[in-house]
Amino acid sequence: MKKMLFVFNPHSGKGQIRFHLLQILDLFTKNGYEVTAHPTQEKLDAFRTVVATGSDFDVIVTSGGDGTLNETIKGLMQLDRKIPLGYIPAGTMNDFASSLGIPKNMPKAAEKIVRGETAEVDIGSFNEEFFTYVAGFGAFTDVSYETPQQMKNVFGSLAYIAEALRLKRLSSTKSYRVKLSYDGNVIEDDFIYGMMCNSISVGGFKGLGGKDVLLNDGILEGLFIKMPKSLAELQQIINALLARELDSEYFYCIKTSAAEISSEEDISWTLDGEFGGNLKNVSIKACQKAVCIFTSPHSKLLGGTKDIETEELQVDSYPDYDYNEEGYEPLE
């Protein structure tokens, strides 16, 4: 019997795991797994649990938001062997799951794990840390990690962040003088936002990483937004973001396996939506195929031939769920 460590955040996404936990555990058990379940108790608990006990298991599964996934993957990177990872998304954005075609429906995501198909995907290194899909700084990132979880549950997309920038944070919009070096190129400019990512979805928005994104090619996509000179330019930037139109004088879009980012003042960074430190010098690199994850290896984003939407539709053994006062009920 295969041994599985199941680490889950009981509070992510309105705590919806409690409505599916028994069904998920039953599914794993019926498919030959001896499951050790660990509900996280505090920040970094997922990381510490994987580091301390992960080597004793054949499979590790995590359920929660992007932060819980980040902790789990950072823990996996400390182990001496590559253990397959299953992900059951339960957060607000779930950008990484969206990019991989992992269903939002939790039992369907669990079924994808027991199918046994895996693919190797890239993650990013950030100085001595790791990020799953995005490292960023500037106007949008601090809104993301300063926004209360309840507010994220209600609004749940970058549209809220853009609106917050426009209506509430305009007077305090700050630019950073940044030197960006990659592949022999050097860019120096004033930016209100910058990110390096390995995803087709960031902050709930698809397309911010540009076109021709692959999740296993050892390449990260970068987006850097110049400081607007007027309110009109700021509005044009917001409109372009909402329309995913990145071919603009306000944006630098790059593709690279490694980049160095420096500034004269400390910059506040986020890693997968969580605070990543105040730093002047950052080295970001792609770790190619560093994590083995349960998902279809045939997805176009992994070099295959199938769209991720097709992958999700094929998993149809369980109904979709909707929330009411008595909990989650199957939709008719």
Side-chain angles (χ1 to χ4, degrees):
M1 182 172 284
K2 294 169 288 187
K3 298 178 66 176
M4 174 190 290
L5 174 62
F6 181 30
V7 179
F8 62 93
N9 185 338
H11 305 295
S12 290
K14 303 178 184 178
Q16 61 177 298
I17 184 67
R18 66 185 184 275
F19 302 109
H20 305 289
L21 185 58
L22 291 180
Q23 187 177 5
I24 290 170
L25 292 176
D26 184 62
L27 176 66
F28 289 153
T29 302
K30 280 183 168 61
N31 282 271
Y33 288 100
E34 179 185 345
V35 183
T36 299
H38 179 88
T40 58
Q41 304 298 304
E42 58 187 354
K43 188 175 179 63
L44 294 179
D45 189 20
F47 169 76
R48 289 191 292 263
T49 299
V50 171
V51 170
T53 66
S55 296
D56 299 331
F57 295 88
D58 303 300
V59 170
I60 295 175
V61 175
T62 189
S63 180
D66 291 332
T68 304
L69 177 64
N70 174 279
E71 288 188 23
T72 304
I73 286 180
K74 287 197 295 186
L76 284 171
M77 294 297 291
Q78 305 299 315
L79 304 183
D80 56 5
R81 63 188 178 94
K82 190 180 292 186
I83 299 175
L85 172 67
Y87 182 40
I88 301 175
T92 306
M93 299 299 184
N94 303 314
D95 290 306
F96 191 67
S98 176
S99 294
L100 284 172
I102 296 174
K104 295 179 181 179
N105 179 294
M106 301 179 79
K108 288 182 181 179
E111 183 174 309
K112 209 171 187 72
I113 294 169
V114 301
R115 284 185 175 190
E117 291 186 326
T118 61
E120 294 181 320
V121 300
D122 303 344
I123 66 166
S125 71
F126 179 90
N127 290 353
E128 302 300 320
E129 294 286 342
F130 295 98
F131 60 93
T132 306
Y133 72 99
V134 63
F137 68 87
F140 302 99
T141 53
D142 59 353
V143 173
S144 177
Y145 66 72
E146 289 176 2
T147 302
Q149 184 63 49
Q150 183 178 5
M151 190 70 75
K152 291 180 182 179
N153 291 339
V154 172
F155 291 97
S157 78
L158 190 60
Y160 165 69
I161 298 175
E163 192 69 10
L165 173 64
R166 180 171 59 185
L167 297 180
K168 299 179 182 179
R169 305 183 64 85
L170 181 58
S171 62
S172 60
T173 299
K174 179 177 174 57
S175 66
Y176 301 89
R177 189 70 182 178
V178 167
K179 181 179 179 181
L180 169 64
S181 305
Y182 69 100
D183 300 337
N185 302 297
V186 178
I187 297 172
E188 190 165 0
D189 213 328
D190 296 321
F191 298 107
I192 61 170
Y193 174 78
M195 75 169 186
M196 297 294 294
C197 73
N198 185 51
S199 175
I200 63 167
S201 176
V202 178
F205 254 47
K206 292 185 177 180
L208 292 187
K211 300 178 181 179
D212 303 320
V213 175
L214 290 174
L215 305 183
N216 60 359
D217 60 354
I219 298 296
L220 298 173
E221 285 69 37
L223 172 64
F224 296 82
I225 304 176
K226 295 169 64 175
M227 177 67 180
K229 298 178 181 178
S230 65
L231 290 174
E233 287 191 359
L234 176 62
Q235 187 59 56
Q236 290 175 17
I237 289 172
I238 292 172
N239 292 343
L241 284 173
L242 296 176
R244 286 76 157 179
E245 296 176 353
L246 304 183
D247 186 13
S248 164
E249 62 180 304
Y250 304 113
F251 305 132
Y252 289 100
C253 298
I254 70 171
K255 288 178 176 286
T256 184
S257 61
E260 303 288 330
I261 301 172
S262 60
S263 61
E264 294 183 356
E265 63 178 310
D266 284 340
I267 293 179
S268 179
W269 284 82
T270 66
L271 307 180
D272 300 329
E274 302 293 328
F275 180 63
N278 295 310
L279 303 164
K280 289 185 176 73
N281 298 288
V282 168
S283 176
I284 297 177
K285 299 178 182 179
C287 303
Q288 188 171 17
K289 297 183 178 180
V291 173
C292 179
I293 192 165
F294 287 97
T295 188
S296 172
H298 308 298
S299 167
K300 286 182 178 179
L301 293 172
L302 297 168
T305 59
K306 294 184 179 180
D307 293 329
I308 57 174
E309 291 82 4
T310 301
E311 291 301 324
E312 182 162 343
L313 288 173
Q314 289 178 347
V315 188
D316 55 6
S317 299
Y318 295 99
D320 287 329
Y321 285 77
D322 193 15
Y323 186 78
N324 60 34
E325 293 181 355
E326 297 180 355
Y328 282 84
E329 298 292 343
L331 292 171
E332 298 296 337

